[in-house]
Amino acid sequence: MTTTRLTPIDAPRGLAGVIVAETTVSDVRGAEGFYQYRDRSAIELAETASFEDAWQLLVTGQDATDASRPGFAARVSDATTGRRGDLGPVVDAVSAATPDVLAGLAAAWPLLGARRGIRPLYDLDESGRLADAIALAAATPMLVGALWRRGRGERELPVLEGRGVVAKYLRQVTGRVPDEATERALTAYLIAVMDHGFNASTFTARVIASTGADAAACLVGALGALTGPLHGGAPSRALDGLDAIGTDDRIDPWIRGELAAGRRLMGFGHAVYRTADPRAELMKRVALRRGGPRVELALRFQQSAERLLAEAKPGRELHANVEFWAALVMEQCGIPRSMFTPTFAVARTIGWTAHILEQARDPKIIRPSARYVGPSVRVAAA
């Protein structure tokens, strides 16, 4: 039997621009400032669709219709309301160990999976994988909301009847029944960030899925990547500049000071977009509809930041990214700053599960190579 040796190929640091797989989940065209979910504009979906309809499209690949919505809603309900007995003990155990929501969620997924007996992706057929993916994603906003309240020494509030996932989530996190405008604003954000190509956390999920591990393990790995300040851990940091400035006259001096010190201006620049981030533009429109002095300050901050960045880093296209304006929108919706990244995770879990399902159909494990640059082997003295 003959074996084929692969010739190693040098790749750029961070795998920038390297195509590692084929996908039908989403596409990001950075030079154009455009991205899509399946065959739909992601921004159009964020402006018009419900959270549940966008979820159904990403995970099943099929448009939500009057005929399909009841069945999908039933699957979501079975994973939450119908099996709430599974969630209670999980929340009890995790909240007793830590008040941190993200650490709690990372512990809750495998614990919930163990209670429900989920199996490795390798051992499941397509329908079994889809069932686990929907069940874990459906439980996520409930887990995040419950862990948030428990961490504050409070009990979960009664679930809103007759309202969707977003309204129910807002109720737990803010303690108030949201009006339709607030629900719509957060829905736009959540849909806009459900997926975004092969970002660090999504790639992590796919690497783990390629090993045949269970879906909960894939989600835990993805969440670990998301918590990094250079990925999903930055939305709250994007507001630090506004807090530090306070008034218009301090905008330019503060930004110049940050750039002179070599510090990253959080909320500006993106690894893929070389033009305006379409998600940031959407979130800006959402924020402007609600208005207020904070938004006016943010507008002036963006203008100054982009101008000063262009002066300091000529030739680079550094615009406001989604984190800057999304932070404003979440703040307007009453979400505490410490809950920005967990809220991001609620949305991105949908994209992760879609990619986990896709990767599970590929029997090839993801296993790149590395170039060894350490010392040579020492020869023992005779």
Side-chain angles (χ1 to χ4, degrees):
M1 184 180 72
T2 61
T3 59
T4 302
R5 287 182 61 84
L6 296 176
T7 301
I9 300 172
D10 279 332
R13 290 177 63 230
L15 299 181
V18 176
I19 296 173
V20 297
E22 295 182 341
T23 183
T24 63
V25 177
S26 69
D27 186 35
V28 181
R29 303 204 289 271
E32 301 172 38
F34 177 85
Y35 73 118
Q36 66 193 70
Y37 296 159
R38 305 293 186 179
D39 61 349
R40 299 283 302 280
S41 160
I43 295 299
E44 176 191 336
L45 280 172
E47 290 180 315
T48 63
S50 70
F51 180 89
E52 290 80 0
D53 282 1
W55 179 3
Q56 186 176 341
L57 173 66
L58 269 179
V59 174
T60 70
Q62 302 297 318
D63 279 325
T65 64
D66 290 341
S68 67
R69 285 187 185 99
F72 190 79
R75 300 186 77 158
V76 172
S77 178
D78 180 62
T80 54
T81 306
R83 303 182 67 175
R84 197 176 298 160
D86 287 320
L87 297 183
V90 169
V91 173
D92 289 342
V94 172
S95 61
T98 177
D100 184 271
V101 175
L102 288 175
L105 182 60
W109 275 327
L111 184 54
L112 180 62
R115 289 183 62 84
R116 295 189 176 181
I118 69 168
R119 297 159 57 201
L121 297 164
Y122 185 84
D123 296 329
L124 296 172
D125 59 16
E126 186 71 19
S127 63
R129 294 168 186 161
L130 179 61
D132 284 349
I134 292 175
L136 288 167
T140 299
M142 296 189 69
L143 288 169
V144 170
L147 291 170
W148 160 249
R149 299 200 70 82
R150 293 290 188 92
R152 290 157 49 91
E154 302 171 356
R155 300 292 298 186
E156 301 90 297
L157 296 171
V159 175
L160 287 177
E161 299 298 334
R163 300 289 294 271
V165 169
V166 177
K168 291 174 181 175
Y169 178 72
L170 278 166
R171 163 73 161 155
Q172 293 299 328
V173 175
T174 68
R176 302 185 299 272
V177 176
D179 57 35
E180 290 186 5
T182 301
E183 181 182 3
R184 185 64 245 172
L186 189 64
T187 297
Y189 166 69
L190 294 173
I191 295 176
V193 298
M194 276 183 175
D195 196 54
H196 204 248
F198 272 34
N199 55 81
S201 58
T202 296
F203 185 52
T204 301
R206 291 190 71 125
V207 170
I208 298 172
S210 78
T211 72
D214 66 64
C218 300
L219 291 177
V220 172
L223 183 64
L226 189 79
T227 60
L230 299 184
H231 188 13
S236 63
R237 297 173 185 237
L239 293 182
D240 290 348
L242 296 183
D243 292 343
I245 290 163
T247 57
D248 290 2
D249 59 305
R250 297 187 58 194
I251 293 177
D252 278 25
W254 186 87
I255 295 174
R256 289 186 189 279
E258 292 296 295
L259 296 178
R263 287 189 284 269
R264 179 187 295 264
L265 207 57
M266 288 296 187
F268 290 84
H270 194 270
V272 175
Y273 289 116
R274 295 299 172 261
T275 183
D277 185 336
R279 303 167 302 169
E281 294 299 301
L282 169 64
M283 290 295 96
K284 183 195 291 188
R285 293 195 294 273
V286 173
L288 286 171
R289 283 198 290 269
R290 300 178 76 85
R294 183 83 152 165
V295 174
E296 295 300 321
L297 181 65
L299 275 172
R300 288 186 283 273
F301 185 95
Q302 178 186 358
Q303 293 164 358
S304 292
E306 291 181 350
R307 171 173 51 81
L308 295 173
L309 282 166
E311 292 176 5
K313 304 175 187 295
R316 296 182 62 184
E317 293 287 339
L318 297 171
H319 301 277
N321 60 39
V322 66
E323 293 168 344
F324 182 76
W325 286 103
L328 266 294
V329 170
M330 284 190 276
E331 187 176 66
Q332 289 175 327
C333 291
I335 296 175
R337 199 170 297 190
S338 63
M339 286 295 287
F340 285 3
T341 300
T343 301
F344 186 7
V346 167
R348 191 52 64 86
T349 297
I350 304 301
W352 291 336
T353 52
H355 281 278
I356 289 166
L357 292 171
E358 185 174 69
Q359 187 64 47
R361 301 181 193 113
D362 186 344
K364 182 69 173 177
I365 191 172
I366 297 174
R367 203 296 189 188
S369 299
R371 180 185 300 281
Y372 177 70
V373 295
S376 299
V377 174
R378 288 178 290 175
V379 178

